[in-house]
Amino acid sequence: MPEALVQVDRITKRVRDATGELTILHDIGFELTAREPVAIVGASGSGKSTLLAILAGLDTPSDGTVRLRGQDLFALDEDERAAVRARELGFVFQSFQLLPNLTALENVMLPLELRGTRDAREQASAMLACVGLGERLGHYPRVLSGGEQQRVALARAFVLRPALLLADEPTGSLDFATGAAVMELMFELNREAGTTLVLVTHDREIAARCERQLRIEAGQLVA
């Protein structure tokens, strides 16, 4: 059995609102191994995105913890968790999350520059060429199509070759054909990079392409 890259240990998330306490996630536990593509599926409001945020250390659980390479993320302070994210994680979102005042090249260069990479421009240019945008380096997000923006987001996510890539409905704002092309590219890049992929999706066909599916229903892991 391969050693676990990520260990999710009895995660529970509770919040309070005007009606009282609400449990969003209850006693969630599983492991992820290196290079494994996993889909998290379930109805809207089931807790999928909350779980993804906790995996990234962007949200904190009420109980339980997440270990990445054996390190308890919630034994770290926020600055230390941010350093782990910068070093180990990549993100792809439905809304792309590109910086509008930066070109495609500058958006992909940014995480490299934050890491202190000397040849950031060369690496970012090569990654954009890899996703088919070698001729669009100087274009700003506003003049790129949705599919092109998501390709920039993929390039930005993979350029650091992260150990763990978290993708939240990455094709949710794209038409079917564009979304299918983006997902094909994501899986191809993931195989090449050897990254562990955790993908939140409503699309059964996309989920079926992953080696494993984790189904969340009403905050509980049922499969």
Side-chain angles (χ1 to χ4, degrees), residues 150-165:
Q150 196 60 298
R151 285 170 177 262
V152 175
L154 285 178
R156 182 182 59 188
F158 278 104
V159 75
L160 293 176
R161 304 187 72 84
L164 177 64
L165 179 70

Side-chain angles (χ1 to χ4, degrees), residues 152-217:
V152 175
L154 285 178
R156 182 182 59 188
F158 278 104
V159 75
L160 293 176
R161 304 187 72 84
L164 177 64
L165 179 70
L166 305 175
D168 193 358
E169 297 285 0
T171 62
S173 60
L174 304 175
D175 64 74
F176 177 80
T178 303
V182 165
M183 285 310 306
E184 189 64 41
L185 179 60
M186 176 180 283
F187 282 116
E188 180 182 339
L189 291 171
N190 193 66
R191 286 191 298 269
E192 292 175 357
T195 297
T196 298
L197 172 64
V198 180
L199 172 66
V200 166
T201 183
H202 286 95
D203 190 312
R204 293 182 180 180
E205 291 186 12
I206 292 173
R209 295 189 61 179
C210 294
E211 290 181 5
R212 186 159 51 116
Q213 296 182 35
L214 302 174
R215 180 169 295 279
I216 307 292
E217 292 183 4

